[in-house]
Amino acid sequence: MSRLRQFRSRSRGFTLLELLVVMVIIGLLAGFVAPRYFAQVGKSQVKVAKAQIDALDKALDQFRLDMGRYPTSEEGLNALQTAPGGAETTGTWGGPYLKKGVPNDPWGRPYLYVSPGEHGEFDLSSLGKDGRPGGTGEDADITNWTN
């Protein structure tokens, strides 16, 4: 019976050494996986920004079809949600043109809208992850025109 008690008392838990080995293995795996995961998150944010700019571009085109013009820079993208002054009385504003409010870019900043634009009838852009003009990779500007 004493051997059975010895066996039971030894099999109750892990030793400190075993726990440390497991923690080291988990740390190594996380060290290999985490950088790849976070790189994918950055690429996803760029794709989301491109998709949002495309959706805003289409909503702006719908606004133009109804109103005969694009919103001015002063009216901005809010004109897609709220009728500009006097537009509701003329009956031409058919909005809101977005199901939800005007989104911020994936980094939490508002999209930049200028009308008339330098690259077309309007310019719509995000400054990327760094929030500054220019850049490469995730920091690159995302626009509705081709560079």
Side-chain angles (χ1 to χ4, degrees), residues 42-100:
K43 288 178 186 176
S44 297
Q45 289 175 320
V46 170
K47 287 180 183 178
V48 166
K50 288 179 181 179
Q52 286 178 334
I53 284 177
D54 187 51
L56 290 169
D57 194 276
K58 288 179 171 86
L60 287 162
D61 285 342
Q62 187 63 45
F63 180 97
R64 185 184 58 81
L65 288 173
D66 290 346
M67 299 290 291
R69 63 176 179 82
Y70 286 106
T72 64
S73 295
E74 292 77 29
E75 294 169 337
L77 295 174
N78 290 327
L80 299 174
Q81 283 300 112
T82 307
E88 280 186 328
T89 58
T90 62
T92 56
W93 189 79
Y97 298 97
L98 299 170
K99 290 182 181 180
K100 299 179 181 176

Side-chain angles (χ1 to χ4, degrees), residues 104-117:
N104 284 334
D105 70 12
W107 301 279
R109 291 182 295 275
Y111 285 99
L112 305 175
Y113 174 76
V114 178
S115 177

Side-chain angles (χ1 to χ4, degrees), residues 1 13 22 40-42 44 81 85-86 117 132-133 136 140:
M1 281 285 203
V22 169
Q40 293 302 318
V41 169
S44 297
Q81 283 300 112
R132 294 187 302 233
T136 58

